[in-house]
Structure formats: structure tokens, C-alpha cells
Amino acid sequence: MRSAAITPDAFTNSFPRFRSHQALLEGLLEQAQRQSFQAGTHLYWEGDSCSGIAFLLSGSIRVYRCSEAGREITLYEIGAGETCILNASCILGEKPYPANAVTLAAGEFVLIPAASFRRMLGLHEPLRSMIFSLLSERLGDIMELVNEVAFRRMDERLMEYLVEKSDNRLLLSTHQKIASDLGTSREVVSRILKEFERQGRLQLTRSEVRLLQDS
């Protein structure tokens, strides 16, 4: 990853809510660095310490947990104009990062040192409002994830996932990526997809799932 300084305008293009809060902007960006990254970059492994918090300008990040057996489940994804609530929690609670974070698409973020973030959070209500709003949103995401994993059939969850993630009825993804997002094994996903194909609901090719008109 490459780092550079950032101007207030470049930051507020992605975080417009801070545009009218000059003191907050100056405090956040005083020691901040703009960093670029490529897809597939691991930003955190479970147990890492958090020396700063990343405010995402572009690209996307996947936050996930991994079981002892190696099975993954996606907790949530982060897009431009957002930050990671687990990253904030790690800094505020002075605890290790409790998950893994990997970039899905190339982009940039602004890294703000932990001490500056803690100080600004105590001084500025707009920053607190953003963090609490994200906390509420992510908690809702994780509660929904728990509900789906615990109480819904996997074939229902898989078809809903395919419909939601596909573009023009086409999803470009591997069976392993789908399994990781749904918190199951690749074998289970492949078996259900094959059954859907047998039923005439979709067509499978390498790293592609095409939903048919009558799915």
C-alpha cells in the first residue's frame, strides 16, 4: 500500500457530512495518511492490534470470521463513505481486532491514528453520530445474519442471495465465495446449485451462475 497526505476537499468528497465542521476536519486530518490498496489485500487478521482507523474513500472491504475448520462467514462489507465499526470498537476498547478484513476491490482510504480518533470522538458530535449510526446499521446486519443462519433453510437463502447479487440474472462468483458469504461450505453450495440446475432454475459455467427467466 502507498501513502500520501490528503486535503480536506478530497476527504469530504466521500464524507460530505463533515464538510461544514472545519475544526473536526482539521483534527481528523492533522496526522492522517491517504493510502491506496489493491484487491485481495488483507488489512487485518483476527487478533491484530489497531493503530488507526480507516475511512474508506473508494473500493470495498469484506469483514469476515473464520472457524477452526477453515469455514468463513461474511459479517458485512464496507463501501466508500464508511468506516469499519469493529475497527472503531477495537480502538475504543483497546482490544485486538476480532475478525479479518480483506479488500474486495482496489481503492483508497484515509488512516487516522487511534489517539486522534479517540480525541476527536470525544470532542465532536458529528463524528459520534456517524459512528453510532454505523454501529446500529452493522448490529442490524449481524442480527439478520444470525437469524438467517439459525432459522432459514440453505436453499432458500442461496436463491435469495443469487437474485440479490446477480446483475441481469448473471452472477460472476465462485462457489467458495458464495459459501463464505452465506457461512456454509463450498460442497453444500455446489450441491444445491447442481439441484437448482437440474430443476431448470439456473445454468452453471465456470465462475458464473445464470438465473433463468422462470427462476
Side-chain angles (χ1 to χ4, degrees):
M1 290 188 292
R2 296 180 293 105
S3 63
I6 181 171
T7 65
D9 284 345
F11 183 75
T12 55
N13 284 340
S14 296
F15 294 88
R17 70 176 71 198
F18 298 146
R19 190 165 285 139
S20 59
H21 302 281
Q22 190 63 33
L24 171 58
L25 268 177
E26 291 176 356
L28 285 174
L29 302 182
E30 184 178 4
Q31 303 175 55
Q33 289 292 316
R34 184 176 190 168
Q35 299 191 0
S36 62
F37 54 81
Q38 298 301 312
T41 302
H42 263 91
L43 303 177
Y44 286 107
W45 295 101
E46 185 173 352
D48 283 352
S49 60
C50 298
S51 60
I53 186 167
F55 285 72
L56 197 60
L57 302 177
S58 61
S60 58
I61 298 170
R62 172 180 173 243
V63 179
Y64 68 98
R65 290 291 303 270
C66 189
S67 72
E68 292 183 0
R71 183 179 299 176
E72 297 178 2
I73 184 168
T74 300
L75 299 178
Y76 53 83
E77 294 181 3
I78 307 165
E82 297 179 330
T83 188
C84 177
I85 199 64
L86 288 181
N87 191 180
S89 176
C90 172
I91 290 172
L92 297 176
E94 298 184 343
K95 302 288 187 181
Y97 194 75
N100 306 289
V102 62
T103 60
L104 295 175
E108 294 182 307
F109 62 75
V110 173
L111 188 67
I112 295 170
S116 295
F117 174 68
R118 281 193 294 264
R119 185 174 65 253
M120 292 296 101
L121 196 66
L123 292 174
H124 298 280
E125 190 279 333
L127 182 58
R128 291 195 299 273
S129 176
M130 174 191 172
I131 296 300
F132 291 152
S133 176
L134 277 175
L135 175 61
S136 176
E137 180 180 340
R138 296 310 182 201
L139 184 58
D141 291 342
I142 293 173
M143 290 298 292
E144 180 62 25
L145 176 63
V146 169
N147 180 69
E148 291 199 358
V149 170
F151 303 119
R152 291 189 61 196
R153 286 171 42 180
M154 183 53 65
D155 58 346
E156 295 174 347
R157 294 179 58 213
L158 177 53
M159 181 51 70
E160 184 177 286
Y161 175 93
L162 297 176
V163 171
E164 179 184 343
K165 297 293 186 179
S166 63
D167 181 15
N168 244 2
R169 294 183 172 270
L170 178 64
L171 174 64
L172 304 178
S173 183
T174 65
H175 293 191
Q176 183 58 63
K177 172 64 166 60
I178 297 171
S180 296
D181 285 349
L182 293 175
T184 187
S185 67
R186 180 185 58 80
E187 292 77 13
V188 168
V189 166
S190 296
R191 175 175 56 79
I192 298 174
L193 287 175
K194 284 291 186 184
E195 178 60 21
F196 284 161
E197 186 175 46
R198 187 191 67 78
Q199 295 170 2
R201 303 176 71 181
L202 52 78
Q203 290 178 336
L204 298 173
T205 54
R206 185 175 180 83
S207 298
E208 291 186 3
V209 180
R210 182 174 295 277
L211 298 172
L212 301 181
Q213 198 65 35
D214 58 354
S215 294

